[in-house]
Amino acid sequence: KSLEDLSKIPFTVKTDLRDNYPYGMNAVSIEECARVHASSGTSGKPTVVCYTKNDLEMWSECMARLIAATGVTSKDLVQISFGYGLFTGALGLHQGMEKLGVGVIPASSGNTERQIMLLKDLGATVLVATPSYALYIGEMIEKLGYDIKDFKLRVGLFGSEASSYEMHREIEKKLNIISTDNYGLSEIVGPGVAGECIERCGQHVNEDYFLIEILDTETLKPVPDGEYGELVITALAKEAMPIIRYRTKDITRIIPGECTCGRTFRRLDRFQGRTDDMLIIR
């Protein structure tokens, strides 16, 4: 009857998706799905996520908003250096860029010398990559003897892994760009849940599509805005695989107040870690 009733609904967790592999979490038949993505599985089986045509439209809309918030326009040219395939990152950013009218160079990942050649010769103004790979590209540009002033890059949209403010400032220094962070997870939609605007003071959540809760890690009860807790997300518009109260295991907080950019969607602060103590090596 009200949003408060949401707390009475059980959580969805990653093991639910694995236990119902591959299509047990779907609310529509596979014939109604327009695309299937998957995240790499630590237990041998990937986490499979499906999308209807309407889901893909919604996803593109979410991405286009977040891209526009970084100052990217149809006058830009983006090089996407994510790996294309079952991973949601590359195609998620790709379709958002196309919806916004941005030209796309689908470079995929790897072969860094070729990436740098394409960046310089084709004149990309926007780079999409993981922050660690963007940093590596910056280091290789120096090592190969290029002058960053010969590149047209001005904005970077980075995600798919945890990163610090210090890391983004280092990327900005090496690539001479504005470095932005964005957030998503394949179980919910992929990238497109939240992202930084040009002010870079928190990630705006697409709140009309994703209902967020920040819960105390011990009691799993809501905490006030400004306090850290585990991020729990309900996907409000997904058709193929609607997810209710998904425990992301990511620790963050809602930043109180409104952003100076004028957008009124609430903002998530930079992630502080995970409740399951996951450690990323290399």
Side-chain angles (χ1 to χ4, degrees):
K1 294 177 182 176
S2 71
L3 285 179
E4 284 68 40
D5 287 341
L6 192 69
S7 63
K8 299 171 185 174
I9 300 173
F11 296 109
T12 307
V13 293
K14 197 169 191 112
T15 51
D16 292 327
L17 279 72
R18 290 188 180 134
D19 292 345
N20 290 282
Y21 173 89
Y23 302 130
M25 296 291 284
N26 280 11
V28 302
S29 67
I30 193 62
E31 289 82 6
E32 296 174 74
C33 294
R35 196 187 298 166
V36 178
H37 278 283
S39 62
S40 55
T42 53
S43 59
K45 296 284 190 182
T47 300
V48 176
V49 288
C50 297
Y51 302 79
T52 64
K53 189 171 182 292
N54 287 338
D55 289 339
L56 293 177
E57 282 293 323
M58 178 270 290
W59 190 11
S60 299
E61 168 71 18
C62 288
M63 281 310 320
R65 289 178 187 176
L66 298 182
I67 294 163
T70 67
V72 173
T73 73
S74 59
K75 295 179 181 178
D76 283 297
L77 179 65
V78 60
Q79 183 159 316
I80 297 180
S81 299
F82 275 149
Y84 278 73
L86 291 173
F87 167 59
T88 55
L91 284 168
L93 269 295
H94 187 127
Q95 63 201 31
M97 292 288 179
E98 287 189 338
K99 186 172 182 67
L100 202 60
V102 183
V104 178
I105 303 166
S108 198
S109 58
N111 198 339
T112 307
E113 288 193 29
R114 181 171 171 270
Q115 294 273 357
I116 292 168
M117 178 192 75
L118 292 173
L119 281 169
K120 181 174 179 294
D121 294 351
L122 301 185
T125 55
V126 182
L127 175 64
V128 168
T130 62
S132 57
Y133 192 50
L135 196 57
Y136 182 65
I137 287 173
E139 290 167 355
M140 285 299 291
I141 285 173
E142 290 177 3
K143 187 176 178 182
L144 294 170
Y146 287 101
D147 187 340
I148 196 62
K149 292 176 183 173
D150 294 332
F151 292 73
K152 293 184 178 178
L153 283 174
R154 64 178 199 87
V155 180
L157 281 86
F158 306 123
S160 294
E161 65 184 20
S163 55
S164 64
Y165 285 114
E166 292 76 19
M167 188 176 192
H168 281 268
R169 300 301 83 82
E170 187 67 18
I171 292 169
E172 290 186 331
K173 186 174 153 191
K174 288 191 180 300
L175 293 179
N176 193 28
I177 60 171
I178 294 167
S179 176
T180 66
D181 202 9
N182 58 74
Y183 175 76
L185 55 169
S186 58
E187 298 93 322
I188 297 299
V189 72
V193 174
E196 285 184 318
C197 65
I198 202 75
E199 299 294 332
R200 290 169 293 164
C201 53
Q203 299 194 35
H204 292 276
V205 179
N206 278 312
E207 287 190 277
D208 48 345
Y209 289 120
F210 309 107
L211 194 152
I212 59 170
E213 303 171 80
I214 306 291
L215 305 184
D216 184 282
T217 55
E218 299 294 328
T219 66
L220 297 180
K221 299 293 183 187
V223 300
D225 287 5
E227 287 190 20
Y228 285 97
E230 181 181 338
L231 175 64
V232 172
I233 306 175
T234 297
L236 299 172
K238 284 281 294 292
E239 291 180 338
M241 202 177 88
I243 294 289
I244 298 173
R245 301 197 82 202
Y246 186 77
R247 290 188 63 180
T248 67
K249 304 295 183 77
D250 291 319
I251 303 297
T252 184
R253 70 179 182 122
I254 293 168
I255 299 173
E258 290 187 5
C259 183
T260 51
C261 77
R263 290 175 178 82
T264 55
F265 280 157
R266 290 185 298 170
R267 293 164 293 149
L268 296 176
D269 206 346
R270 195 163 292 274
F271 293 91
Q272 300 296 306
R274 290 177 58 87
T275 59
D276 56 3
D277 294 322
M278 183 178 73
L279 199 62
I280 299 173
I281 308 296
R282 290 182 66 82

